[in-house]
Amino acid sequence: METLVQAPAWVRERREAAAKRFADVGFPNTRQEDWRFTNVAPIADAKFPLASGSFAQASSLIFSVAVPGSLRLAIVNGQFAAGLSDLSAMPKGVRIAGIRDGARDGSDGLEQHLAKVFNIETHPFAALNASHLDDGVAIVIASGAVVETPIHIVIVTGGDGKPVAAHPRVLVVAGANSQVRIAQTFVGVKDDVYFNNAVAEVVVGEGAIVDYYTDQRESEQAFHIANIQAHVAAKGVFASHAFSTGAKIQRHDIGIALNGEGADCTMNGVYLADGERLMDTHTSLDHAMPHCTSHEIYKGILAGKAKAVFNGRIIVRIDAQKTDAKQTNRALLLSDDATINSNPQLEIFADDVKCTHGAAVGQLDEEAMFYLQARGLTRIEARDMLLHAFAGEVLDGLKIPELREQIEKNFFTALARDIAVTA
Amino acid sequence: MLQVKNLKVRVEDREILKGINLTVNQGEVHAIMGPNGSGKSTFARALSGHPGYEVTEGEVLYNGKDLLDMDPDERAREGVFMAFQYPVEIPGVNNAYFLKAALNAKRKQAGLDELDAIDFMKVVKEKLKVLHIDDSMLQRSVNEGFSGGEKKRNEIFHMAVLEPALALLDETDSGLDIDALRVVSEGVNAMRSADRSFIVVTHYQRLLNYIVPDYVHVLSDGKIVRSGGKELALELEEKGYAGQAALRHSSGQAGARR
């Protein structure tokens, strides 16, 4: 562990603080409110050893999800893999570094933000990730830079058939009035068992516009925990779109803090699960300042004995007058045994605000199914068309056409693989 | 092309059709009339394969094949089209995208190449003109937010694109004003041909002023009680449905047979 020794003092301090925090709290359990429906004992019990180095299929996995026309950053088992990345078309105003090198070289913004955006006190898995703070990728966008080329981070995890753990980390610092679109794709070897515990921290400067896309298509035997936290300054715009089709247990904690007046955010997602898989999404929106807007739509498709948890927290602090927040959570249950626990959690302390939330759980519309079939579509074609339409509102937010195409293709593949037609 | 023999259909626990006999030959237009609750819409829906309509007895041969043995989508791909009385709104499904998928499903069945977007649009533009439909309807979600008239016109538009061999029009006239009725009827008339048959289900004679049928059948309490030519519709217009049921026995063998 030579690299750990070489890390600057501030990195070591943060790593040790996180390790101490995690040692104190340990893995969460179902007696804790935030983890009531999600039992992570299988992760704790498996005692996954930390992955070291690469694995045989890493490069083929990375190329299988490559998005043409974008910069590619590869993270293999938590480590930045320069050799599998493609930075040949580096646009002006973008600086990209492996976190290990960046921290050592004292790159701008790293010391200020790395492992600081996330509150490790409230998120045990983020603490666990930070306790391994070592590498990952840092993306720094200069003030005023409008980056046309999308930046695609591919995060692969595997241990050549042996169960491993990885703690990948991404830091994005978007300077004032900059614009950038970033995607992260999580992928592993089919049916591999591993534990991926990712953290992404995003700092959105004043007037900056950041789109952040997540495509979670891990192995269906994998444990996928991801924490995304964004801090948005005045008039900044942050949009998160998350698409999840993989993992045996997924837990996403996506938090957005609107820390300056006039900030705006979108937090959308689609998830799809079958079998006995679990999709847990906890979102948290912190309206800290006045005149901010937020839009949130989450949509779930569940079959078999799949379970989903959606917890949508919105805090409107006392100063956050003229807040406009809208949250929608919808789920389609395609079998009698699929379940969802949906919980909007509004904490409003300001008095002049507009906050709406709605949750709806339903089945496929059989009259619509019949209508489509009566025009000649098979039951499967009709179903896929309706499910695609159901997800459409969120898919429409994908502003990288090549990525959208890839995510839609994966959506249909997942439907064909996982979701049996109910007669 | 279509032979219906002693068709009995149940909806939930009620027997609605109590033995329908009807033969429709290629190129013929048959009108099915009858008061509310007589079973005329049930007849159309049962032929289209709606899962809520359970066939308990009888046989339907379509071009010699057992129609009742086919799934709704198979029937459609074999050339049966149903214009819905209540077209379903499907948010998020683009009208053109859906229609292209439907047309290509049918073409594939017939062993034809699937149309690409450009060729499809060529087909579609032509049909839109005939039906006085604005292009914008293509890019809207299927029936979503359509007015009653737009929905019915969209059904006929789908029919025009899919070019069925047998079209079932389920109360296509209901909810249409006179102008919309004329446009819809012109659309149907433009499609009449020697190799296409229609079954037009309607409560009112009015539609039959525009779509002149070859045969008219009167349905009452789940059976065809009278059959005749187009003049039968006019007689019903004058005298109403009352008394038709009483004619059941005197009319003997119901249904048009050749």
Side-chain angles (χ1 to χ4, degrees):
Chain A
M1 285 289 187
E2 191 191 354
T3 53
L4 297 187
V5 177
Q6 286 177 351
W10 62 267
V11 171
R12 278 179 280 146
E13 279 162 24
R14 284 172 205 185
R15 189 190 297 151
E16 281 152 22
K20 183 174 182 306
R21 176 66 191 167
F22 187 73
D24 288 347
V25 295
F27 285 98
N29 60 59
T30 52
R31 291 186 302 280
Q32 288 161 270
E33 184 58 32
D34 276 348
W35 296 88
R36 201 146 65 98
F37 302 107
T38 299
N39 183 0
V40 295
I43 302 175
D45 295 346
K47 298 192 168 58
F48 291 98
L50 192 64
S52 62
S54 190
F55 58 102
Q57 281 165 276
S59 65
S60 62
L61 283 175
I62 288 165
F63 292 116
S64 74
V65 296
V67 174
S70 57
L71 294 180
R72 185 174 64 247
L73 300 173
I75 298 181
V76 178
N77 286 336
Q79 312 290 310
F80 175 52
L84 294 169
S85 301
D86 179 3
L87 302 174
S88 52
M90 185 75 86
K92 268 178 84 173
V94 180
R95 292 201 303 115
I96 287 173
I99 284 177
R100 187 184 300 152
D101 295 338
R104 216 185 294 143
D105 301 348
S107 295
D108 298 346
L110 261 67
E111 181 170 357
Q112 189 187 347
H113 298 295
L114 189 68
K116 284 288 188 188
V117 178
F118 230 108
N119 180 357
I120 58 169
E121 300 297 315
T122 49
H123 290 85
F125 282 99
L128 177 62
N129 176 295
S131 75
H132 295 280
L133 186 62
D134 172 30
D135 205 2
V137 295
I139 300 166
V140 180
I141 312 297
S143 292
V146 175
V147 183
E148 298 283 349
T149 313
I151 300 173
H152 186 207
I153 306 161
V154 184
I155 300 172
V156 298
T157 308
D160 290 316
K162 292 193 191 73
V164 291
H167 303 278
R169 175 172 285 268
V170 173
L171 173 67
V172 177
V173 181
N177 301 310
S178 65
Q179 293 182 25
V180 66
R181 294 169 296 169
I182 297 169
Q184 55 178 5
T185 300
F186 294 95
V187 61
V189 177
K190 187 180 187 299
D191 295 333
D192 253 16
V193 179
Y194 56 88
F195 167 39
N196 199 7
N197 179 34
V199 166
E201 296 176 296
V202 184
V203 180
V204 181
E206 267 190 37
I209 301 174
V210 178
D211 284 318
Y212 202 88
Y213 305 108
T214 301
D215 178 5
Q216 187 277 94
R217 53 171 84 184
E218 305 267 27
S219 149
E220 293 194 0
Q221 298 299 322
F223 300 97
H224 170 92
I225 309 277
N227 287 280
I228 299 173
Q229 177 71 48
H231 286 177
V232 188
K235 295 194 170 62
V237 179
F238 179 73
S240 162
H241 290 82
F243 301 88
S244 300
T245 55
K248 184 173 189 162
I249 295 178
Q250 167 193 290
R251 166 68 175 239
H252 275 177
D253 277 272
I254 304 179
I256 302 176
L258 301 171
N259 291 335
E261 277 195 47
D264 171 85
C265 77
T266 299
M267 184 155 41
N268 290 352
V270 170
Y271 53 86
L272 192 156
D274 70 322
E276 298 190 1
R277 301 193 292 128
L278 168 68
M279 288 282 180
D280 179 346
T281 306
H282 271 60
T283 65
S284 174
L285 258 168
D286 188 347
H287 278 270
M289 297 295 278
H291 296 283
C292 292
T293 46
S294 65
H295 329 266
E296 181 174 10
I297 303 169
Y298 263 82
K299 296 201 167 182
I301 298 168
L302 301 166
K305 293 180 181 170
K307 284 193 173 69
V309 180
F310 176 80
N311 193 89
R313 187 173 185 210
I314 299 178
I315 308 163
V316 181
R317 299 196 187 269
I318 194 154
D319 293 333
Q321 300 296 2
K322 304 287 181 191
T323 285
D324 190 346
K326 190 167 194 289
Q327 178 189 89
T328 309
N329 172 230
R330 289 184 61 198
L332 286 179
L333 305 184
L334 303 184
S335 77
D336 293 340
D337 296 326
T339 54
I340 176 164
N341 288 291
S342 181
N343 182 33
Q345 197 183 337
L346 273 55
E347 299 164 29
I348 301 171
F349 301 101
D351 50 18
D352 185 13
V353 302
K354 212 167 109 187
C355 266
T356 60
H357 70 90
V361 179
Q363 280 90 38
L364 267 183
D365 178 349
E366 280 300 328
E367 284 304 316
M369 283 289 286
F370 177 68
Y371 186 81
L372 299 181
Q373 283 179 274
R375 293 285 186 269
L377 272 59
T378 64
R379 204 168 157 80
I380 287 179
E381 289 165 342
R383 180 207 65 181
D384 284 3
M385 201 173 267
L386 291 182
L387 294 178
H388 181 244
F390 176 70
E393 204 177 349
V394 177
L395 288 165
D396 285 347
L398 277 165
K399 295 199 197 93
I400 306 170
E402 296 83 0
L403 181 71
R404 175 175 178 152
E405 199 176 301
Q406 197 186 84
I407 284 178
E408 289 196 298
K409 198 171 156 221
N410 180 56
F411 178 79
F412 284 116
T413 304
L415 285 179
R417 180 184 63 215
D418 296 340
I419 313 293
V421 175
T422 44
Chain B
M1 81 144 12
L2 187 77
Q3 286 140 325
V4 181
K5 296 173 190 164
N6 191 33
L7 182 69
K8 296 187 179 177
V9 173
R10 187 187 287 273
V11 179
E12 284 162 5
D13 285 338
R14 265 184 66 212
E15 187 169 57
I16 307 289
L17 296 186
K18 299 173 178 173
I20 300 278
N21 293 291
L22 179 70
T23 296
V24 177
N25 294 300
Q26 241 179 13
E28 292 176 353
V29 176
H30 288 243
I32 308 281
M33 302 186 70
N36 291 332
S38 60
K40 54 191 192 300
S41 279
T42 296
F43 181 54
R45 288 170 200 172
L47 291 182
S48 72
H50 192 292
Y53 296 77
E54 187 201 347
V55 175
T56 54
E57 219 181 301
E59 187 183 31
V60 179
L61 292 178
Y62 170 71
N63 290 332
K65 292 182 193 166
D66 181 358
L67 187 75
L68 301 178
D69 196 39
M70 299 181 201
D71 288 335
D73 50 303
E74 278 180 270
R75 299 180 198 200
R77 290 194 302 273
E78 290 283 348
V80 178
F81 179 91
M82 159 108 143
F84 282 58
Q85 183 181 3
Y86 304 110
V88 184
E89 297 198 13
I90 310 182
V93 173
N94 175 284
N95 202 19
Y97 171 74
F98 163 49
L99 192 54
K100 178 165 164 277
L103 179 60
N104 280 333
K106 207 178 157 216
R107 290 179 64 91
K108 213 167 126 190
Q109 178 101 347
L112 298 168
D113 285 341
E114 296 188 21
L115 295 183
D116 62 20
I118 294 164
D119 288 337
F120 173 73
M121 284 314 287
K122 272 187 208 153
V123 171
V124 156
K125 293 272 181 188
E126 220 175 281
K127 314 285 185 186
L128 286 173
K129 244 184 262 167
V130 179
L131 288 162
H132 306 278
I133 292 177
D134 193 77
D135 283 15
S136 65
M137 200 188 259
L138 283 175
Q139 298 313 327
R140 290 164 69 184
S141 290
V142 177
N143 296 320
E144 191 187 24
F146 285 24
S147 70
E150 282 178 326
K151 281 180 183 168
K152 296 300 174 77
R153 237 183 289 181
N154 194 41
E155 292 293 282
I156 301 305
F157 166 57
H158 284 188
M159 179 174 82
V161 171
L162 296 174
E163 301 186 321
L166 172 65
L168 313 166
L169 309 185
D170 186 6
E171 308 225 16
T172 294
D173 51 331
S174 67
L176 290 187
D177 63 30
I178 199 74
D179 290 333
L181 184 67
R182 192 175 296 129
V183 170
V184 163
S185 304
E186 279 167 10
V188 172
N189 287 332
M191 289 192 67
R192 287 179 76 156
S193 79
D195 52 10
R196 180 171 296 126
S197 311
F198 291 83
I199 295 178
V200 181
V201 171
T202 180
H203 185 86
Y204 301 103
Q205 190 269 339
R206 174 177 89 137
L207 176 68
L208 305 180
N209 289 336
Y210 297 94
I211 304 172
V212 180
D214 300 308
Y215 299 95
V216 175
H217 310 279
V218 181
L219 217 62
S220 177
D221 191 26
K223 287 194 161 190
I224 291 178
V225 292
R226 273 190 82 187
S227 295
K230 59 179 184 250
E231 65 287 347
L232 178 54
L234 294 167
E235 185 192 320
L236 289 171
E237 174 83 346
E238 274 170 37
K239 297 182 182 164
Y241 289 113
Q244 295 297 330
L247 295 170
R248 182 190 298 176
H249 300 293
S250 60
S251 72
Q253 181 66 36
R257 297 224 174 218
R258 283 192 172 181

